[in-house]
């Protein structure tokens, strides 16, 4: 039996690297999946690449209440409920020293990463309660565990998501809803590519090489490696796991050197 047979999953940020890989794996494992994001072209690309009647999309901004109500409502009306939420939409924000960092930029990062995740869970919870339980997987980051220079808004937001998973595990437990956080390290996808371009324009490959050299496993992770982690937490294989923080970072946060 496939690991998500008869399950309905919502994946926010489903037009991006980790979200698209997660949606694809979930469909292969038997789920019906709704991917959510702001850019219809990206979502269509995900849906077309998966090529199954079991995946569809909703264009929505996760930071908005009315959009959240709409994408949760769509998932329920299309499939009869929600069993799994992968709250994964995220914005990395600027790399800027505190003195250069605008309040507006701070608010945008928080609004997407923290408010957007909280809203997704708030509105998906009732649908999960009706199903008798479910699993929420929050995409935090290794930036949720350690600090790095010039990235204060993103780091703050990803730390907040770990607190959110731990707090909401208590809210979910009486309803058999599990809430866990995944902390990817550097992942070889468009988000990191845009970081390379911003921090080392014209020298992206050398920059990636230098970062890789500092990872104990000496490479970036892949979208699929995070998708597999999401699958474990979404499925009944993790039935005793809630309030947990799961790291997939090639060893970066294991310690110094
Ligand atoms: N890449 C890494 O190395 C890495 C490492 C650790 C953690 N993460 C986290 O992993 C998650 C997925 O990122 P990724 O690596 O797959 O990067 P990505 O390709 O940039 O995907 C992020 C997705 O989030 C969506 N999004 C952003 N703001 C949104 C909003 N307000 N409403 C709805 N959707 C929104 C984007 O789509 P639209 O712009 O179309 O809305 C995009 O598809 C993020 O939370 C990120 O912080 C990534």
């Amino acid at each position: 039996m496939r690991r998500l047979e008869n399950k309905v999953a919502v994946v926010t940020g489903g037009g991006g690297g980790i979200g698209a890989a997660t949606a694809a794996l979930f469909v292969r494992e038997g789920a019906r999946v709704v991917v959510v994001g702001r850019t219809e072209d990206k979502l269509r690309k995900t849906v077309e690449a998966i090529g199954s009647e079991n995946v569809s999309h909703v264009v929505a901004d996760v930071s908005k209440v009315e959009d959240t109500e709409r994408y949760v409502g769509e998932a329920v009306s299309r499939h009869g409920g929600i069993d799994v939420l992968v709250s994964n939409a995220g914005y990395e924000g600027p790399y800027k020293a505190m003195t250069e960092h605008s309040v507006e930029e701070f608010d945008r990062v928080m609004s997407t990463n923290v408010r957007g995740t909280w809203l997704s869970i708030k509105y998906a919870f009732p649908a999960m309660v009706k199903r008798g339980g479910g699993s929420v997987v929050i995409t935090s980051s290794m930036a949720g565990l350690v600090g790095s220079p010039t990235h204060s808004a993103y780091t703050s937001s990803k730390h907040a998501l770990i607190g959110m998973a731990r707090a909401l595990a208590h809210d979910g437990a009486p309803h058999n809803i599990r809430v866990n956080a995944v902390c990817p390290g550097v992942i070889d996808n468009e988000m990191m590519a845009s970081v390379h371009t911003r921090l080392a324009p014209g020298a992206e490959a050398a920059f990636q090489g230098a970062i890789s050299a500092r990872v104990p496993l000496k490479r970036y992770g892949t979208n699929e490696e995070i998708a597999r982690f999401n699958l474990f937490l979404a499925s009944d294989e993790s039935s005793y796991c809630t309030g947990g923080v799961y790291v997939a970072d090639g060893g970066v946060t294991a310690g110094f050197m």
Side-chain angles (χ1 to χ4, degrees):
M1 173 143 164
R2 292 182 295 178
R3 284 177 284 180
L4 296 179
E5 201 72 57
N6 301 321
K7 303 281 188 194
V8 177
V10 172
V11 179
T12 71
I18 292 171
T22 299
L25 181 57
F26 281 16
V27 169
R28 288 203 299 279
E29 289 293 339
R32 285 166 290 158
V33 178
V34 175
V35 288
V36 176
R38 291 167 306 175
T39 313
E40 183 146 36
D41 281 356
K42 289 194 215 169
L43 297 171
R44 281 191 189 283
K45 218 171 127 191
T46 297
V47 168
E48 281 166 19
I50 294 172
S52 162
E53 62 184 9
N54 290 331
V55 62
S56 61
H57 73 274
V58 177
V59 176
D61 181 336
V62 297
S63 68
K64 295 185 174 157
V65 172
E66 59 277 18
D67 283 29
T68 308
E69 288 181 301
R70 186 166 49 76
Y71 75 70
V72 166
E74 277 294 324
V76 171
S77 67
R78 286 176 198 180
H79 302 300
I82 297 174
D83 304 290
V84 174
L85 167 67
V86 182
S87 196
N88 165 78
Y91 170 54
E92 71 274 32
Y95 284 80
K96 284 185 180 168
M98 187 64 162
T99 47
E100 308 297 321
H101 202 301
S102 74
V103 174
E104 290 73 20
E105 287 169 328
F106 179 85
D107 286 344
R108 184 176 161 202
V109 172
M110 286 294 169
S111 169
T112 305
N113 298 357
V114 182
R115 178 183 158 97
T117 301
W118 190 84
L119 287 177
S120 69
I121 301 168
K122 175 179 171 58
Y123 286 96
F125 252 42
M128 290 182 165
V129 170
K130 279 193 191 150
R131 300 279 268 198
S135 173
V136 177
V137 185
I138 295 174
T139 311
S140 177
S141 168
M142 69 178 178
L145 299 167
V146 295
S148 54
T150 69
H151 214 196
S152 59
Y154 185 78
T155 303
S156 304
S157 74
K158 293 297 184 177
H159 274 68
L161 293 183
I162 289 177
M164 195 183 296
R166 289 176 171 151
L168 293 180
H170 294 283
D171 290 52
H175 305 288
N176 195 30
I177 300 172
R178 300 180 292 105
V179 185
N180 291 288
V182 168
C183 298
V186 281
I187 304 303
D188 197 4
N189 66 17
E190 277 179 30
M191 181 180 275
M192 279 311 296
S194 89
V195 171
H196 300 152
T197 304
R198 278 187 284 158
L199 295 183
E204 288 88 349
F207 187 80
Q208 180 165 351
I211 301 273
S212 296
R214 294 173 61 187
V215 178
L217 288 182
K218 301 297 174 205
R219 65 173 177 86
Y220 280 32
T222 65
N223 295 318
E224 288 70 25
E225 285 174 313
I226 306 307
R228 289 200 293 270
F229 223 143
N230 290 340
L231 173 62
F232 168 71
L233 291 170
S235 75
D236 292 341
E237 286 169 11
S238 57
S239 51
Y240 199 51
C241 303
T242 196
V245 179
Y246 296 87
V247 181
D249 70 349
V252 171
T253 57
F256 186 57
M257 299 294 282

